[in-house]
Amino acid sequence: MSFNSEWNTVYSQKGMAAYPDNMLIRFVATNYYNAPVRKDIKFLDIGCGAGASAWYLSREGFSVAAIDGSAVAMERLRERLRSENLEAFLGCGDFTKLEFKPDYFDCIIDVSSLCYVQKDKIEDVMKQLHTVLKPGGRFFSITPTNECAKPPFDHTVNGVNLEARFQDHIEAAKNFKGFKDVNLNSYSYDVRKNNVCQRINLWVITAEKEGA
């Protein structure tokens, strides 16, 4: 079973978020709602899953490219966009091997996707993302902390473990060493499953590329 087929199984078996994270909405509202022409602002949503973030950005009038390795998730996003007459570039593939031209996107969005990139590969992935971001472009990332409940993020499919990386603030900040104005803020909430309360602790990270 390939990595992508494993995620197809995850998305086939589990529900997917229909709406974007509140922290993303605040970030976009603060930085981009006043753009003279929203369509001129290009977002890249990496590991988009079923595309709650991409759907929201498209609905708000921005240009969006969304990438995920799961064909199941991408098809759900495609149908959702089609049903509302919304547009986005959808790519079913590996976001760790980008083919976009340099200095292209105004903003990159990561909602709990980079945490699944192996530790020995994250530096190369971040270099790629840095390259496709415009000078002065922004990066928004949500990732689980080392104190976060693990069950919502770790999945086992046919005996294969899809495990997230749970990072302290030093590890999380290190991923953005090629960026400026790196800010980490904690964000927590509780989820209840099978009468068990789980504490979700996340890092909300924002950063910029030099050269604006």
Side-chain angles (χ1 to χ4, degrees):
M1 178 178 278
S2 70
F3 179 82
N4 289 347
S5 63
E6 288 157 4
W7 279 107
N8 279 337
T9 302
V10 171
Y11 284 121
S12 296
Q13 296 175 350
K14 296 180 179 291
M16 293 183 258
Y19 300 101
D21 192 282
N22 286 335
M23 290 299 176
L24 173 62
I25 294 174
R26 292 181 185 181
F27 169 81
V28 174
T30 299
N31 293 288
Y32 298 106
Y33 272 14
N34 291 329
V37 182
R38 290 190 181 184
K39 206 67 177 175
D40 289 342
I41 305 297
K42 300 182 182 70
F43 283 86
L44 173 61
D45 184 6
I46 58 171
C48 65
S53 300
W55 165 81
Y56 154 70
L57 292 166
S58 179
R59 194 175 185 189
E60 288 296 327
F62 300 106
S63 295
V64 185
I67 299 177
D68 196 272
S70 169
V72 170
M74 294 302 287
E75 184 57 30
R76 292 191 187 184
L77 174 55
R78 185 173 289 106
E79 287 300 321
R80 186 178 191 185
L81 294 174
R82 184 182 298 128
S83 69
E84 298 186 30
N85 293 317
L86 298 175
E87 295 181 351
F89 169 83
L90 304 183
C92 186
D94 188 350
F95 72 79
T96 69
K97 300 176 182 178
L98 296 177
E99 297 182 359
F100 296 104
K101 62 184 180 181
D103 302 335
Y104 185 73
F105 292 101
D106 296 280
C107 186
I108 294 173
I109 302 296
D110 157 50
V111 179
S112 303
S113 293
L114 284 173
C115 60
Y116 291 99
V117 176
Q118 295 177 3
K119 190 173 182 178
D120 62 345
K121 296 181 179 179
I122 189 66
E123 183 174 356
D124 178 67
V125 172
M126 292 303 293
K127 286 180 180 178
Q128 292 184 56
L129 294 170
H130 185 276
T131 296
V132 301
L133 192 61
K134 290 180 180 179
R138 297 182 176 91
F139 203 122
F140 175 91
S141 179
I142 295 178
T143 194
T145 77
N146 56 320
E147 297 180 347
C148 181
K150 292 180 171 54
F153 293 91
D154 288 347
H155 310 281
T156 300
V157 180
N158 293 345
V160 178
N161 294 323
L162 301 173
E163 297 180 343
R165 290 182 299 113
F166 298 85
Q167 304 171 95
D168 61 25
H169 72 284
I170 295 175
E171 292 175 303
K174 189 183 297 184
N175 296 333
F176 291 84
K177 63 182 181 181
F179 294 80
K180 68 173 186 176
D181 297 335
V182 179
N183 291 298
L184 281 79
N185 293 288
S186 59
Y187 171 36
S188 301
Y189 59 90
D190 294 324
V191 296
R192 182 172 292 276
K193 185 175 182 180
N194 299 326
N195 293 320
V196 176
C197 185
Q198 298 175 333
R199 188 69 168 172
I200 306 301
N201 295 300
L202 305 170
W203 294 120
V204 178
I205 308 170
T206 58
E208 293 185 22
K209 181 176 177 176
E210 295 275 4

